[in-house]
Amino acid sequence: MSFTYEVQQAKKDAHEFAMITGFDGKIRDLVIPGSIDGYIVEAIGNHSFSGRDDIENVSIPESVKILYGFAFHNCKNLKKITLFDSIQDYYDGVCRQCDNLEEVEITVNNSWFEVIRSFLADNDKTLRFLIHTGEKKAQDCENSGTSGNGNSGGKSGYLTSCLTFPEYVYDFNENTMARTIQFSIAGSGYAFRECVDRRRIDYRQYDSLFEKAVIDGGEIAQDISVYRILYPVELESRYRSVYEKYIRDNAEKILERYVKKCAYSCNNADDILLIRKLLEHRELFGEMAVNSAIELSVQFQDTVLTALLMSEGSAMAEKTVTEFAF
């Protein structure tokens, strides 16, 4: 089993590089190499992995500058892509029809956010971005007087934020009398996507749209509020208060949802980390919410999750689980 590739020649300086064209064999975690047979890997070719149902995670090195059209198109089980802001050319359809794609993790070393814009333009579904911004940017944000960086679980020396972008739908209606086609946009996702520029993310604009996300539905609002509290990059106190109130008002539902997700994923490392980070904000989750979460984890017979919840619970929570178990 190995990668297939073609040797290409750069137009600007005529240097040769490798363009990945596929992979022979089945693979769940696809890690694109930085070099192959002495050639630096700078591109992933058209339809290189299109239509594959075995790939769940993709990791792309910083050497890659070009993602050609439909590179991962219709990868039905693809859940996460990890890459850098080194992408200079992102062609149409790279991740289109990847219906299970949940998260894109990107390391931004050159203050270049264009690749985030490209992913968002390419996919109208809900997407979460875990963004590691270089050290200089982190220092600038810390010196600006905004909220702490919440970098637990992030890269050392980087400022880590986590933003959820809701889905949206274009709705077309034909007005036969006027002989025109009218269109509208349903859902807040399009407005959230406008918060990303080539050189920056407007966190203030992003936070101001939260009321629209609440209208979209509970899960979207839960993810936005939770991840903004856990990774509070440039989070102003007025918006922090809004997010904290929403979490307090929905604490039981939020913990229940994430506990179920963790149990169903058989304690995936990312899900466990999320629960652990949530429980660090014990002031947002009342005793009733924690007790309910413990009961639920006991129902799933998940000893790891139960132990984690118990470690952050109260004496009453321990009594609850004992009574429930017997």
Side-chain angles (χ1 to χ4, degrees):
M1 296 187 296
S2 61
F3 286 95
T4 58
Y5 70 96
E6 295 177 1
V7 177
Q8 302 285 310
Q9 191 173 66
K11 294 180 179 179
K12 289 185 178 180
D13 58 10
H15 78 273
E16 293 184 330
F17 64 89
M19 178 180 72
I20 298 295
T21 58
F23 183 86
D24 291 330
K26 296 288 185 179
I27 187 167
R28 185 181 69 177
D29 299 316
L30 182 72
V31 180
I32 304 295
S35 63
I36 187 167
D37 294 337
Y39 295 100
I40 301 297
V41 175
E42 295 187 10
I44 300 177
N46 286 302
H47 292 278
S48 292
F49 303 97
S50 179
R52 297 187 59 142
D53 59 7
D54 54 328
I55 300 174
E56 295 184 12
N57 301 289
V58 172
S59 181
I60 301 173
E62 195 168 8
S63 63
V64 173
K65 301 176 182 179
I66 306 171
L67 296 178
Y68 281 106
F70 303 95
F72 300 99
H73 167 257
N74 198 33
C75 288
K76 294 296 186 183
N77 294 312
L78 178 58
K79 297 177 181 177
K80 181 175 180 179
I81 298 176
T82 303
L83 76 169
F84 293 79
D85 66 339
S86 56
I87 305 300
Q88 298 174 4
D89 292 305
Y90 180 110
Y91 286 77
D92 188 47
V94 168
C95 63
R96 193 164 302 161
Q97 293 185 323
C98 295
D99 295 334
N100 285 311
L101 182 61
E102 296 178 351
E103 183 174 277
V104 177
E105 181 173 0
I106 178 170
T107 299
V108 179
N109 288 324
N110 304 293
S111 299
W112 187 244
F113 296 89
E114 177 67 16
V115 66
I116 297 179
R117 283 169 49 93
S118 298
F119 270 106
L120 290 171
D122 206 21
N123 196 318
D124 57 8
K125 305 296 183 182
T126 298
L127 277 180
R128 181 174 64 251
F129 286 82
L130 186 62
I131 307 164
H132 308 292
T133 307
E135 188 171 2
K136 182 179 184 300
K137 179 65 175 177
Q139 293 172 348
D140 291 343
C141 291
E142 289 170 359
N143 292 335
S144 68
T146 52
S147 191
N149 64 23
N151 204 44
S152 176
K155 286 188 173 184
S156 177
Y158 285 79
L159 189 70
T160 299
S161 61
C162 191
L163 303 179
T164 300
F165 292 83
E167 67 179 359
Y168 70 98
V169 177
Y170 275 115
D171 188 19
F172 295 88
N173 294 298
E174 184 178 359
N175 187 329
T176 55
M177 296 295 292
R179 295 183 179 180
T180 61
I181 295 178
Q182 300 172 335
F183 73 92
S184 60
I185 300 174
S188 61
Y190 189 85
F192 272 93
R193 281 159 170 76
E194 292 297 295
C195 300
V196 183
D197 199 353
R198 289 184 174 184
R199 286 293 183 182
R200 64 188 291 266
I201 296 175
D202 191 334
Y203 288 96
R204 183 180 299 179
Q205 181 184 355
Y206 179 94
D207 293 329
S208 71
L209 294 169
F210 183 61
E211 291 183 356
K212 296 181 181 295
V214 173
I215 296 174
D216 281 353
E219 291 190 3
I220 292 297
Q222 288 173 18
D223 286 344
I224 290 175
S225 58
V226 162
Y227 285 111
R228 283 300 279 145
I229 290 298
L230 297 184
Y231 299 93
V233 173
E234 297 188 39
L235 179 58
E236 296 182 352
S237 59
R238 54 174 172 160
Y239 294 123
R240 174 186 283 276
S241 298
V242 172
Y243 290 135
E244 288 180 343
K245 182 180 185 305
Y246 181 86
I247 293 174
R248 288 194 188 96
D249 291 345
N250 297 275
E252 192 168 340
K253 290 181 180 179
I254 290 172
L255 271 185
E256 176 183 330
R257 177 181 164 224
Y258 290 137
V259 165
K260 285 182 178 178
K261 186 174 185 295
C262 188
Y264 290 144
S265 69
C266 298
N267 294 328
N268 174 276
D270 289 339
D271 294 328
I272 284 288
L273 177 62
L274 175 60
I275 298 252
R276 180 174 286 113
K277 287 174 67 64
L278 279 175
L279 294 175
E280 290 175 1
H281 295 265
R282 187 66 176 81
E283 73 281 0
L284 299 179
F285 297 93
E287 200 164 79
M288 182 178 297
V290 175
N291 288 346
S292 295
I294 292 174
E295 287 188 14
L296 187 59
S297 67
V298 171
Q299 288 182 34
F300 281 110
Q301 299 183 341
D302 192 325
T303 55
V304 173
L305 189 53
T306 301
L308 175 60
L309 292 164
M310 287 279 292
S311 68
E312 299 296 332
S314 63
M316 182 177 290
E318 295 181 18
K319 181 180 178 182
T320 298
V321 73
T322 302
E323 291 176 348
F324 189 84
F326 297 99

